[in-house]
Amino acid sequence: MVSLQSLAHTALVVVDVQNDFCPGGALAVPMGDEVVHLVNSLMPLFSHIVLTQDWHPRGHCSFASSHGKPPFSMDEENPSRGILWPDHCVAGTKGADFHPGLRVDLAHLILRKGTRIGLDSYSAFFENDGTTPTGLFGWLNNLGLTRIFVLGLATDYCVKATAVDGARLGLEVAVIPQASRPVSVSPSDEAEAIHAMQAAGCAVMPMADLRSQG
Ligand code: VGL
Ligand code: ZN
């Protein structure tokens, strides 16, 4: 159980709650829109709120179309890149906008990631080269924040990468899987992601533990 007082020094990191990751979007996460009201209900508990926004230029290296490949195929020329995605979250398009129900007005920082054409970024802390920082860690440090709660879309990609990197940086990290949804390219991906976050030292926080405080 967490005390409300402790949340006063904690940042809520809301990952990629954008149209393209919701039903009807270009890279729809099944039931992705279900997180919107859950995220909104948790925001007022936190003193600092960060929204991340996947924000890619046209022709981005994570798009299958940039390599003449079908969506969800592997990038064989560059296996470390992993799965190639449908074109999604193209900067300035409706698909890249936040879900219209999200309380964007409550956010203190909007952090865009994956903005470089040749570099993807799942994590809100580092681009996928593992070393190019986004600036989020500096922001948290500047404000003396050492604890983050992470939730949003998608559990098995950007939520996982953000939580694991946060722990790697020495932050105290809690993830809220109930307010997150997985892409689930394979059915075990959510469970494996939760396991990987726990193995990295992240706590898994049930929604009820937060709500009962509010
Ligand atoms: C994401 C795949 C590609 C995510 C972003 O937000 O989890 N997944 N870009
Ligand atoms: Zn992306």
Side-chain angles (χ1 to χ4, degrees), residues 15-18 21 27 29 52 54 56 60 62-63 83 85-86 88-89 113 120-122 152-160 181 183:
V15 176
D16 299 358
V17 182
Q18 295 168 256
F21 296 124
L27 178 37
V29 174
T52 73
D54 213 37
H56 302 311
H60 189 249
S62 75
F63 297 170
I83 291 183
W85 304 108
H88 65 279
C89 296
K113 61 186 183 59
D120 200 10
S121 186
Y122 289 157
L153 306 173
T155 315
D156 39 359
Y157 289 93
C158 292
V159 170
K160 176 179 83 171
R181 293 291 180 276
V183 179

Coordinates of all heavy atoms in Angstrom, one line a residue, residues 15-18 21 27 29 52 54 56 60 62-63 83 85-86 88-89 113 120-122 152-160 181 183, ligand 1:
V15 N 2.3 6.5 -20.7 CA 3.0 6.2 -21.9 C 2.0 6.1 -23.1 O 1.0 5.2 -23.1 CB 3.7 4.8 -21.7 CG1 4.4 4.4 -23.0 CG2 4.8 4.9 -20.6
D16 N 2.2 6.9 -24.1 CA 1.6 6.8 -25.4 C 0.1 6.5 -25.5 O -0.3 5.6 -26.3 CB 2.4 5.7 -26.2 CG 3.9 6.0 -26.3 OD1 4.3 7.1 -25.9 OD2 4.6 5.1 -26.9
V17 N -0.7 7.2 -24.8 CA -2.2 7.0 -24.9 C -2.7 7.9 -26.0 O -3.2 9.0 -25.9 CB -2.9 7.3 -23.5 CG1 -4.4 7.1 -23.7 CG2 -2.3 6.5 -22.4
Q18 N -2.4 7.3 -27.2 CA -2.6 8.1 -28.5 C -3.6 7.3 -29.4 O -3.7 6.1 -29.3 CB -1.3 8.2 -29.2 CG -0.2 9.1 -28.5 CD 1.2 8.9 -29.0 OE1 2.0 8.3 -28.5 NE2 1.4 9.6 -30.2
F21 N -2.8 4.0 -31.1 CA -2.7 2.8 -30.3 C -4.0 2.4 -29.7 O -4.1 1.4 -28.9 CB -1.7 3.0 -29.1 CG -0.2 3.2 -29.6 CD1 0.5 4.4 -29.2 CD2 0.4 2.3 -30.4 CE1 1.8 4.6 -29.7 CE2 1.7 2.5 -30.9 CZ 2.4 3.6 -30.5
L27 N -2.0 1.2 -35.3 CA -1.3 0.1 -34.5 C -2.1 -0.1 -33.3 O -1.6 0.1 -32.1 CB 0.2 0.5 -34.2 CG 1.1 -0.4 -33.4 CD1 0.9 -1.8 -33.7 CD2 2.5 0.0 -33.7
V29 N -3.9 -1.2 -30.1 CA -3.6 -2.1 -29.0 C -5.0 -2.6 -28.6 O -5.9 -1.8 -28.3 CB -2.9 -1.4 -27.9 CG1 -2.8 -2.3 -26.7 CG2 -1.6 -0.9 -28.3
T52 N 3.9 10.7 -22.4 CA 4.8 10.5 -23.5 C 4.0 10.4 -24.8 O 2.8 10.0 -24.8 CB 5.7 9.3 -23.3 OG1 5.0 8.1 -23.5 CG2 6.4 9.3 -22.0
D54 N 4.5 9.1 -28.8 CA 5.3 8.5 -29.9 C 5.1 9.4 -31.1 O 4.0 9.8 -31.4 CB 4.7 7.1 -30.2 CG 5.7 6.1 -30.7 OD1 6.8 6.0 -30.2 OD2 5.3 5.2 -31.5
H56 N 6.7 10.1 -34.8 CA 7.7 9.7 -35.8 C 7.6 10.5 -37.1 O 6.5 10.8 -37.5 CB 7.4 8.2 -36.2 CG 7.5 7.2 -35.1 ND1 8.6 7.2 -34.2 CD2 6.7 6.2 -34.7 CE1 8.3 6.2 -33.3 NE2 7.2 5.6 -33.6
H60 N 9.9 6.6 -41.1 CA 10.7 6.3 -39.9 C 11.2 4.8 -40.0 O 10.5 3.9 -40.6 CB 9.8 6.4 -38.7 CG 10.5 6.3 -37.4 ND1 10.3 5.2 -36.6 CD2 11.4 7.0 -36.8 CE1 11.1 5.3 -35.5 NE2 11.8 6.4 -35.6
S62 N 11.2 2.4 -38.0 CA 10.4 1.4 -37.3 C 9.2 1.0 -38.2 O 8.5 0.0 -37.8 CB 9.9 1.8 -36.0 OG 8.8 2.8 -36.1
F63 N 9.0 1.7 -39.3 CA 7.9 1.4 -40.2 C 8.3 0.3 -41.2 O 9.3 0.4 -41.9 CB 7.4 2.6 -41.0 CG 6.9 3.8 -40.1 CD1 6.6 5.0 -40.7 CD2 6.7 3.6 -38.8 CE1 6.2 6.1 -40.0 CE2 6.2 4.7 -38.0 CZ 6.0 5.9 -38.6
I83 N 10.6 -6.1 -34.4 CA 9.4 -6.1 -35.2 C 9.2 -4.8 -36.0 O 9.5 -3.7 -35.4 CB 8.1 -6.4 -34.4 CG1 8.2 -7.9 -33.9 CG2 6.9 -6.1 -35.1 CD1 7.0 -8.3 -33.1
W85 N 6.7 -2.2 -37.7 CA 5.3 -1.8 -37.4 C 4.6 -1.2 -38.6 O 5.3 -0.7 -39.5 CB 5.3 -0.8 -36.3 CG 6.0 -1.3 -35.0 CD1 7.2 -0.9 -34.6 CD2 5.6 -2.3 -34.2 NE1 7.5 -1.6 -33.4 CE2 6.5 -2.5 -33.1 CE3 4.4 -3.2 -34.1 CZ2 6.4 -3.4 -32.1 CZ3 4.3 -4.1 -33.1 CH2 5.3 -4.2 -32.1
P86 N 3.3 -1.2 -38.6 CA 2.6 -0.4 -39.6 C 3.0 1.1 -39.3 O 3.3 1.5 -38.2 CB 1.1 -0.6 -39.2 CG 1.0 -1.6 -38.1 CD 2.4 -1.9 -37.6
H88 N 2.7 4.5 -38.0 CA 1.9 4.9 -36.9 C 2.5 6.2 -36.2 O 3.7 6.5 -36.4 CB 1.8 3.8 -35.8 CG 3.2 3.5 -35.2 ND1 4.1 2.7 -35.8 CD2 3.7 4.0 -34.0 CE1 5.2 2.7 -35.0 NE2 5.0 3.5 -34.0
C89 N 1.6 6.9 -35.6 CA 2.0 8.1 -34.8 C 3.0 9.0 -35.6 O 4.0 9.4 -35.2 CB 2.7 7.7 -33.5 SG 1.6 6.9 -32.4
K113 N 8.9 11.2 -28.3 CA 10.0 10.2 -28.5 C 9.9 9.5 -29.9 O 8.8 9.5 -30.5 CB 10.1 9.2 -27.4 CG 8.8 8.4 -27.3 CD 8.8 7.5 -26.1 CE 7.6 6.6 -26.0 NZ 7.4 5.7 -27.2
D120 N 14.6 4.4 -33.3 CA 13.3 4.3 -32.6 C 13.5 4.5 -31.1 O 14.7 4.4 -30.6 CB 12.7 3.0 -32.9 CG 11.1 3.0 -32.7 OD1 10.6 4.1 -32.5 OD2 10.5 1.9 -32.7
S121 N 12.5 4.7 -30.4 CA 12.5 4.9 -29.0 C 11.3 4.3 -28.4 O 10.2 4.8 -28.5 CB 12.6 6.3 -28.6 OG 12.9 6.5 -27.3
Y122 N 11.5 3.1 -27.7 CA 10.4 2.6 -26.9 C 10.3 3.2 -25.6 O 9.3 3.5 -25.0 CB 10.5 1.0 -26.8 CG 10.3 0.2 -28.0 CD1 10.9 -1.0 -28.2 CD2 9.5 0.7 -29.1 CE1 10.7 -1.8 -29.3 CE2 9.3 -0.1 -30.2 CZ 9.9 -1.3 -30.3 OH 9.7 -2.1 -31.4
G152 N 0.1 2.7 -19.2 CA -0.3 3.2 -20.6 C -0.2 2.1 -21.6 O -0.5 1.0 -21.4
L153 N 0.3 2.5 -22.8 CA 0.3 1.7 -24.0 C 1.8 1.7 -24.6 O 2.4 2.7 -24.7 CB -0.7 2.2 -25.1 CG -2.1 2.4 -24.5 CD1 -3.0 3.0 -25.6 CD2 -2.7 1.0 -24.1
A154 N 2.3 0.6 -24.9 CA 1.7 -0.8 -24.7 C 2.6 -1.5 -23.6 O 3.8 -1.3 -23.6 CB 1.7 -1.6 -26.0
T155 N 1.9 -2.3 -22.8 CA 2.6 -3.0 -21.7 C 3.9 -3.7 -22.2 O 4.9 -3.6 -21.5 CB 1.7 -4.1 -21.1 OG1 0.4 -3.5 -21.0 CG2 2.2 -4.6 -19.8
D156 N 3.8 -4.4 -23.3 CA 4.9 -5.2 -23.8 C 6.0 -4.5 -24.6 O 7.0 -5.1 -25.0 CB 4.4 -6.4 -24.5 CG 3.2 -6.2 -25.4 OD1 2.8 -5.0 -25.5 OD2 2.8 -7.1 -26.1
Y157 N 5.8 -3.2 -24.8 CA 6.8 -2.4 -25.6 C 7.2 -1.1 -24.8 O 8.2 -1.2 -24.0 CB 6.4 -2.1 -27.0 CG 6.4 -3.3 -27.8 CD1 5.3 -4.1 -27.9 CD2 7.6 -3.8 -28.4 CE1 5.3 -5.4 -28.6 CE2 7.7 -5.0 -29.0 CZ 6.5 -5.8 -29.2 OH 6.6 -7.0 -29.8
C158 N 6.5 -0.1 -25.0 CA 7.0 1.2 -24.4 C 6.8 1.3 -22.9 O 7.7 1.9 -22.2 CB 6.3 2.4 -25.1 SG 6.8 2.5 -26.8
V159 N 5.8 0.7 -22.3 CA 5.7 0.7 -20.8 C 6.8 -0.2 -20.2 O 7.5 0.3 -19.3 CB 4.3 0.1 -20.4 CG1 4.3 -0.2 -18.9 CG2 3.2 1.0 -20.8
K160 N 7.0 -1.3 -20.8 CA 8.1 -2.2 -20.3 C 9.5 -1.5 -20.4 O 10.2 -1.4 -19.4 CB 8.2 -3.5 -21.1 CG 9.4 -4.4 -20.7 CD 9.4 -5.7 -21.4 CE 10.1 -5.6 -22.8 NZ 10.3 -6.9 -23.4
R181 N -2.2 -1.8 -21.5 CA -2.7 -2.9 -22.3 C -1.6 -3.3 -23.3 O -0.8 -2.4 -23.7 CB -3.9 -2.4 -23.2 CG -5.2 -2.1 -22.4 CD -5.8 -3.4 -21.8 NE -7.1 -3.1 -21.0 CZ -7.1 -2.7 -19.8 NH1 -6.0 -2.6 -19.1 NH2 -8.3 -2.5 -19.2
V183 N 0.2 -5.0 -26.8 CA 0.0 -5.3 -28.2 C -0.2 -6.8 -28.4 O -1.1 -7.2 -29.2 CB 1.3 -4.9 -29.0 CG1 1.1 -5.2 -30.5 CG2 1.6 -3.4 -28.9
Ligands
VGL1 C1 5.0 1.4 -29.3 C2 5.4 0.0 -31.0 C3 5.9 1.0 -31.8 C4 4.4 1.6 -27.9 C5 5.4 2.4 -30.0 O1 4.0 2.7 -27.5 O2 4.4 0.6 -27.1 N1 5.0 0.1 -29.8 N2 5.9 2.2 -31.2

